[in-house]
Amino acid sequence: MTNVSETPTLIPHSDAAVDESGRVRTYEVRTFGCQMNVHDSERLAGAMEAAGYVKFDLAAEAEANPDLKRSASSAQPDVVVINTCAVRENADNKLYGNLGHLARVKEKHEGLQIAVGGCLAQKDQALLLKKAPWVDVVFGTHNMGSLPRLLERSRHNHTAELEILESLETFPSTLPTKRDSTYSGWVSISVGCNNTCTFCIVPSLRGKERDRRPGEVLNEVKALVDQGAIEVTLLGQNVNTYGVEFGDKGAFAKLLRACGQIEGLERVRFTSPHPAAFTDDVIEAMADTPNVMPQLHMPLQSGSDRVLKAMRRSYRSEKFLNILEKVRVAMPHAAISTDIIVGFPGETEEDFEETLRVVREARFATAFTFQYSKRPGTPAAEMEGQLPKAVVQERYERLLALQNDIAWQENKAQIGREVHVLVANGEGRKDSATERMSGRAEDSRLVHFEVTPGSEIPRPGDIVTVTITEAAPFHLLADDPSGAPIKVRRTIAGDAWDREQAESCGVPSTGGAKNLGSTSIPLVGLGMPTIRVATTPIYDPEDGQR
């Protein structure tokens, strides 16, 4: 049984959060890598604000200092925190490239502090300070709450501070959290991983799986809903082994059903499962629980049984396809996404053709495809048969072309369907140009919809009901040719958005979500998951490797 603490972590106010003139120092968190890292960055931001720092805002800085309006690029935060990834090959290059730039910035910005944490910091440790001696703080994946204390110590002693713990002592969920969303949030159900995939370095950096007790998880979900969130994603490196540590192999299915009993919680998602441990009771719980969404991310990695064995993925392609068939029988409209690695050491053309075969049969709504990259410290890095870049690139492009065609066909099949879209903030990068709004349907497909004249303007967190009129490989469109007003259902999440916007403008809050009365959403909540749910797998969508 785990002895990791669930006691809330209190971050004391730090003297280092104020400079010699009495000005509150600003911070910025930069995240490289996976959604687990993004989730951790919310905790880091919460810890910084609890310690007294304020988030860097270029517009606010320019308003306070008119000189910056003429040269806004010169404005910099007082503390830059980089939360790193060690999974992809370009993670090192991205980190040290950023650190090189910050070294030049630091020469001009007196008092600038640089902190590096996350998986790459856990792996490189003192080597990081050797390669970038201008870094002030290095911390690991197991001691995120130490960041403000380490910054204060570094500032006082004028030395670099290195603190890496080899095992988790406190669940990250106990840390204060800076929420970026009023309507969605992550809830970690476990940390670490017990798998031994030969291509993955995560278990050695985040440790063995540690499970939180169901009551702690459900309390956190309820607290999110009380603050106005209506969508939650349960997060873990391998969610469907949840409960093994405390002796209940059926705990994840039970947890999904328990989430279905939480009043006000409209959407439940989870990421990521492992095909080897994915059981029928989870499929039944998904199908039987109305607020569990018809969406599943199921990592394939390879369609070749020979390659899967070399990867130490303890399932084979037939089992994988059988799982998908069962899911679609139980939930006919389920959208299934996956991860695939191209060019694993020793992969032959015949192996790759097997991957293409499985992709054709699986008909994924989305596939996150990666070119294999050698990661020091993993068994795969030492395997014979490392493939030339040109071979991997050519296979990658063939897979991408096939999957994009399948995704487009699957999206075209949605035309004419009525869908319920959770309105998002910032999902559509071209919304202002196209005069549309965006959000996710229940199956997690991205939908851009027209707000016709005379329609009520939905808020982020509200639900709109629209009919799909067009499809592209990566999104759907809903433009009503009749011009009829769209159907908008106002939600407690939309109310929470209103309150947050009013507070940011200094307007007293008057509305209230259920169970909140006129209580406003705190900018920093103790132990609350906070990230806007993007319902994508645990990888960086902009790492250039897919």
Side-chain angles (χ1 to χ4, degrees):
M1 179 57 203
T2 182
N3 58 358
V4 181
S5 174
E6 279 276 8
T7 303
T9 301
L10 301 179
I11 304 293
H13 190 279
S14 172
D15 292 340
V18 180
D19 68 13
E20 291 75 7
S21 69
R23 182 183 64 87
V24 177
R25 302 176 76 217
T26 62
Y27 76 92
E28 179 178 270
V29 179
R30 301 178 184 177
T31 309
F32 302 155
C34 67
Q35 290 288 17
M36 194 75 76
N37 282 31
V38 178
H39 181 42
D40 287 346
S41 290
E42 295 286 330
R43 308 293 186 189
L44 294 172
M48 292 293 286
E49 299 212 359
Y53 295 85
V54 295
K55 185 176 181 179
F56 176 73
D57 184 331
L58 179 59
E61 291 287 317
E63 188 67 30
N65 185 352
D67 292 337
L68 292 179
K69 293 181 180 180
R70 293 188 292 272
S71 182
S73 61
S74 65
Q76 296 288 338
D78 299 303
V79 179
V80 176
V81 182
I82 301 180
N83 191 15
T84 64
C85 170
V87 174
R88 306 308 303 165
E89 184 176 21
N90 69 347
D92 304 60
N93 297 334
K94 181 181 282 189
L95 170 63
Y96 290 108
N98 271 263
L99 289 179
H101 170 73
L102 286 172
R104 296 188 293 273
V105 172
K106 192 171 186 177
E107 293 175 355
K108 302 176 182 178
H109 187 134
E110 185 178 356
L112 172 65
Q113 286 186 291
I114 304 168
V116 180
C119 291
L120 200 60
Q122 186 79 23
K123 179 174 76 72
D124 286 357
Q125 302 188 15
L127 176 63
L128 200 155
L129 288 175
K130 184 176 181 180
K131 296 175 72 173
W134 54 91
V135 169
D136 299 280
V137 170
V138 176
F139 62 102
T141 58
H142 300 312
N143 62 324
M144 293 187 294
S146 301
L147 175 60
R149 172 176 53 81
L150 294 172
L151 287 167
E152 183 171 7
R153 187 189 300 167
S154 175
R155 191 178 181 207
H156 180 271
N157 296 336
H158 302 286
T159 58
E161 294 291 331
L162 169 67
E163 183 176 285
I164 304 288
L165 301 184
E166 295 306 319
S167 63
L168 191 71
E169 296 178 349
T170 302
F171 276 116
S173 53
T174 67
L175 292 171
T177 305
K178 178 69 169 66
R179 294 193 62 182
D180 280 347
S181 170
T182 54
Y183 49 86
S184 297
W186 296 110
V187 174
S188 293
I189 67 173
S190 63
V191 294
C193 183
N194 292 336
N195 293 319
T196 58
C197 301
T198 55
F199 56 82
C200 186
I201 199 171
V202 167
S204 65
L205 301 181
R206 291 189 176 266
K208 293 291 186 180
E209 180 176 323
R210 296 293 185 91
D211 296 332
R212 299 177 64 198
R213 294 304 301 231
E216 296 287 348
V217 174
L218 294 172
N219 284 341
E220 190 169 344
V221 174
K222 291 173 184 175
L224 266 178
V225 175
D226 285 345
Q227 288 191 341
I230 61 173
E231 180 179 63
V232 161
T233 296
L234 304 176
L235 180 66
Q237 296 288 353
N238 185 4
V239 292
N240 52 307
T241 56
Y242 172 74
V244 172
E245 190 184 9
F246 53 79
D248 185 355
K249 293 184 178 180
F252 185 60
K254 295 175 184 176
L255 187 64
L256 291 178
R257 293 183 185 276
C259 286
Q261 303 301 312
I262 297 176
E263 185 178 356
L265 180 59
E266 299 192 19
R267 297 188 173 194
V268 177
R269 306 184 191 275
F270 58 88
T271 193
S272 285
H274 192 294
F278 200 77
T279 50
D280 290 348
D281 62 332
V282 174
I283 299 174
E284 292 166 3
M286 293 175 67
D288 294 344
T289 310
N291 65 357
V292 175
M293 294 294 95
Q295 175 239 337
L296 177 66
H297 183 72
M298 183 64 69
L300 170 64
Q301 306 302 3
S302 175
S304 164
D305 290 349
R306 193 187 68 83
V307 173
L308 287 172
K309 183 177 180 181
M311 289 178 167
R312 290 189 198 150
R313 301 285 289 180
S314 48
Y315 58 89
R316 299 297 176 257
S317 59
E318 182 179 1
K319 176 174 182 175
F320 183 91
L321 290 170
N322 285 340
I323 291 173
L324 302 197
E325 182 179 2
K326 290 179 181 179
V327 169
R328 284 173 169 142
V329 168
M331 294 167 286
H333 293 297
I336 299 174
S337 57
T338 196
D339 298 329
I340 301 172
I341 296 173
V342 178
F344 188 79
E347 179 189 78
T348 64
E349 179 62 24
E350 290 73 21
D351 292 325
F352 180 67
E353 286 292 340
E354 279 295 283
T355 295
L356 297 181
R357 175 187 65 82
V358 174
V359 168
R360 292 188 187 98
E361 292 186 34
R363 302 199 65 79
F364 299 112
T366 305
F368 296 82
T369 53
F370 301 83
Q371 297 184 39
Y372 171 77
S373 58
K374 184 187 295 189
R375 303 307 294 140
T378 63
E382 306 302 322
M383 288 181 176
E384 295 182 357
Q386 304 285 332
L387 299 181
K389 170 66 176 177
V391 172
V392 179
Q393 182 68 34
E394 189 272 338
R395 290 178 184 173
Y396 174 80
E397 291 174 0
R398 283 160 57 195
L399 174 61
L400 208 60
L402 172 63
Q403 175 54 39
N404 286 350
D405 183 61
I406 291 172
W408 199 357
Q409 293 176 33
E410 292 296 301
N411 276 357
K412 286 178 181 177
Q414 308 304 310
I415 294 176
R417 282 192 63 197
E418 185 177 79
V419 298
H420 306 295
V421 177
L422 174 58
V423 181
N425 178 38
E427 285 273 24
R429 296 183 180 181
K430 299 180 180 179
D431 282 353
S432 58
T434 60
E435 297 184 348
R436 293 188 178 98
M437 297 184 73
S438 301
R440 297 277 172 178
E442 290 167 309
D443 63 7
S444 193
R445 285 183 166 94
L446 178 62
V447 180
H448 305 301
F449 59 92
E450 178 187 17
V451 181
T452 49
S455 298
E456 178 183 3
I457 305 299
R459 307 160 298 179
D462 286 339
I463 302 290
V464 300
T465 301
V466 295
T467 300
I468 302 304
T469 55
E470 294 183 52
F474 307 114
H475 66 265
L476 301 170
L477 295 179
D479 294 340
D480 190 341
S482 72
I486 59 173
K487 302 174 185 176
V488 178
R489 176 166 65 83
R490 295 172 68 86
T491 69
I492 61 170
D495 294 341
W497 169 266
D498 277 346
R499 288 196 305 278
E500 184 186 71
Q501 295 303 295
E503 288 188 358
S504 68
C505 297
V507 178
S509 175
T510 56
K514 188 171 184 179
N515 299 328
L516 285 179
S518 61
T519 303
S520 61
I521 290 183
L523 291 178
V524 181
L526 185 60
M528 292 296 100
T530 66
I531 188 172
R532 174 176 59 84
V533 175
T535 61
T536 56
I538 310 181
Y539 297 105
D540 177 3
E542 297 180 354
D543 67 0
Q545 298 293 313
R546 62 191 67 206

